[in-house]
Amino acid sequence: MDSADVMPPSASPARRFGRFELRQLLAKSSMSYSWLAFDTASQTEVLMCVPRAQPKSEQEKDAWSQEVLLASRLKHPRLAQVLDIGIHEGWPYAVYERGGAITLQERMQPSHPVPTVLDVVNWTIELLEALAFAHEAGTSHKDLELANVLLDGAGHVRVAGLAVGLALPRSGGMGGQGASAAGSGSRQEQRVAAERDVLMAGLLLHRLLAGHPALDDADFASASLRVGPEIVRLPWNTPQPVAETLRAIVNRATDRQYRQRYLNARTLISALQGWVKANSQESAGPLALIMDRLETVGHLPSRARDMGGILKVFTREELRVDDMVNQIVLDPALAWELLKAVNTARYQMGGNEDPSCSLSRAIVLLGQQGLRKVCGTLRTWPGVLQASSSLQGAEAGENAVTALESELKIACVAGLAARWLRPFNIGDEEAMMAAMSQRLGKLLILYHFPEESAQITRLTLPGPPTENEGKPTPGMTVEAATGAVLGVNPDDLTGAVLRYWGFPEYFVQAARPMSVNVSPRRPEGTGDWLRLTASLANELCELLEQPAARQNMLLTKLMSRYARPALTSQKELVEALQRAVRGVDAGLYRRTFAGAPEPGAAPAAAAAQGHR
């Protein structure tokens, strides 16, 4: 064994280090040693952390002592208690209380049961809470490893080894920057060290879930310098199944692109806590993330700027129910609020009434007074985003409002397109609402989490090429980015909210978009037709944001997926989209109410007559 790989000569062969007996070398990284030791003075078992290299000068020794002393003064439930800091024969050391705790390294041995995914995530959250506290106090860990993370009898984490490691000279680092030296006090170096801590926490999370270390390197300090030049992705054959949203979080934490990673511990904590809430039965599933805000500020704001104008329109005597439906579908917030109202228990006397997805029926059941009351519960545009704009700054607030407005408009276009594309065996109002509902989760996130939405958008943008003159690196999918930031899938959020509002289960299933990676089969039942039509309408709306040259390619792709199951043609798709855009662009509550349908108002897609 190389002399650099052993403790000072006094530690061998007697295995003594001052008053301590070194009983077991738990871990050896590029920056430190972790020993299970016995304190002969107090007659207790302790954890000892020693730098891998001796300080080369008195100045370096003093800097190490100052930073470890600063770390030892931090008091936090997730930080292990420091019992002693000293120097023995030129080797600095820090001693931590072990008590009845075991290290994560010991916990992961085959003699212990494989931890559940939820256990692993909760351990990581507590670990990150300790790191966040240390970072905010101006220090960092520098050498996170399984051997310096302790688990007490209650399964809670305590972190040892804070600021102990001394870096050996080597190249590489975070974002092209070298690791900070011990005792360095500049803000830039502190930031780089904190970011590297978060990356090492991501590698630790990867290790616990995968059952083996990323890049086959058990030294997280060493592996963190290889992330970027080398790709780290959580394998599919994990000991316990890992949900897609959690997988996105783990992969983002170790992403090869510096800009894609979590750059501070709090953001990673937020994502993991979101996943825990979304997958906890006690917290009512994904709905727990947004329930409080649904109750206090409503689900979405009305697209209308003047609620008084809405009421005047809907109280006109000559207005027919069909005319009202044509207007309500242009205001998704009002449409969902109406259906939510009629699906509550007070409108289902004795449980004899089935849940309704028909706007016409909702209008009839509610009447003018009920309609007026529902309109009164909605917030005018842009709702709570007006207040959040002042908190985020003018530009960020304006971007949040613009993003929500754009998504609401696309939802309306999708609804109208589904109306023209629907087969006769499903209702036009159900088709419209199903298409709009496939965007409900994204709309709720845009409205209630504007800062996180901006972060999600950034993650979906392409990154710089990995090679000179190469192609840009693809960004994340919206689903993966949402999972990485909030810990939930927007489609799961949609389903949870619709169930809470009392929508029937067949409609909840129809509100989940079909996978774009699998060609849909010919539907068998009404619910399947509803989902197929809504998915087709929403995929058709992707053309709105594409240049003309790319639209033909997307149309061809749509036809290859939907021509056979939906029995539609490219001409019908284009006409349905154009007609939907014209209907939405006509303006909310500004069209005339002649009492007659628009020319050609019957559903298009004549080629689909065979299945209608």
Side-chain angles (χ1 to χ4, degrees), residues 300 336 404 407-408 411 439-447:
L300 291 167
W336 280 312
L404 178 62
E407 186 64 21
L408 279 169
R439 293 182 176 269
L440 176 59
K442 184 177 181 181
L443 286 166
L444 292 172
I445 291 170
L446 284 169
Y447 184 54

Side-chain angles (χ1 to χ4, degrees), residues 259-260 455-462 474-479 481-482:
R259 70 178 186 90
Q260 295 281 61
Q455 190 179 358
I456 290 167
T457 300
R458 289 193 295 271
L459 290 175
T460 60
L461 298 176
M476 293 183 178
T477 64
V478 173
E479 292 75 16
T482 304

Side-chain angles (χ1 to χ4, degrees), residues 94-254:
V95 176
Y96 300 86
E97 181 183 39
R98 176 176 168 92
I102 63 172
T103 67
L104 272 184
Q105 180 171 290
E106 293 169 313
R107 175 63 181 81
M108 297 303 292
Q109 295 303 310
S111 57
H112 291 273
V114 177
T116 67
V117 171
L118 187 59
D119 284 339
V120 168
V121 172
N122 284 327
W123 294 342
T124 308
I125 290 173
E126 292 186 343
L127 163 68
L128 288 163
E129 288 172 345
L131 293 180
F133 184 78
H135 296 162
E136 289 157 7
T139 187
S140 57
H141 195 290
K142 297 187 177 69
D143 191 27
L144 200 62
E145 53 186 334
L146 295 180
N148 53 40
V149 179
L150 299 166
L151 282 177
D152 63 20
H156 293 297
V157 162
R158 286 184 286 134
V159 180
L162 205 63
V164 168
L166 274 178
L168 295 175
R170 62 185 302 170
S171 60
M174 299 289 295
Q177 306 171 69
S180 60
S184 175
S186 78
R187 291 184 179 180
Q188 172 72 3
E189 289 170 331
Q190 287 177 4
R191 180 185 65 79
V192 171
E195 290 172 359
R196 189 174 179 212
D197 277 357
V198 178
L199 175 55
M200 284 191 285
L203 290 168
L204 183 145
L205 176 59
H206 178 112
R207 162 69 181 85
L208 295 178
L209 291 174
H212 59 82
L215 304 176
D216 293 323
D217 191 344
D219 180 357
F220 299 143
S222 170
S224 67
L225 298 172
R226 296 168 57 190
V227 175
E230 300 182 58
I231 298 174
V232 175
R233 282 289 181 268
L234 192 67
W236 294 103
N237 57 336
T238 54
Q240 303 274 5
V242 177
E244 182 180 347
T245 47
L246 179 58
R247 183 178 296 276
I249 293 172
V250 178
N251 287 339
R252 183 189 170 191
T254 60

Side-chain angles (χ1 to χ4, degrees), residues 34 66 74-75 79 94 154 182 244 258 268 299 302 306 310 392 413 415 425 475 569:
S34 294
Q66 289 175 15
L74 300 180
K75 302 301 178 186
L79 288 174
E244 182 180 347
Y258 168 78
L268 181 49
H299 53 288
S302 170
D306 177 18
I310 298 177
Q392 298 180 66
V413 173
N425 60 341
S569 68

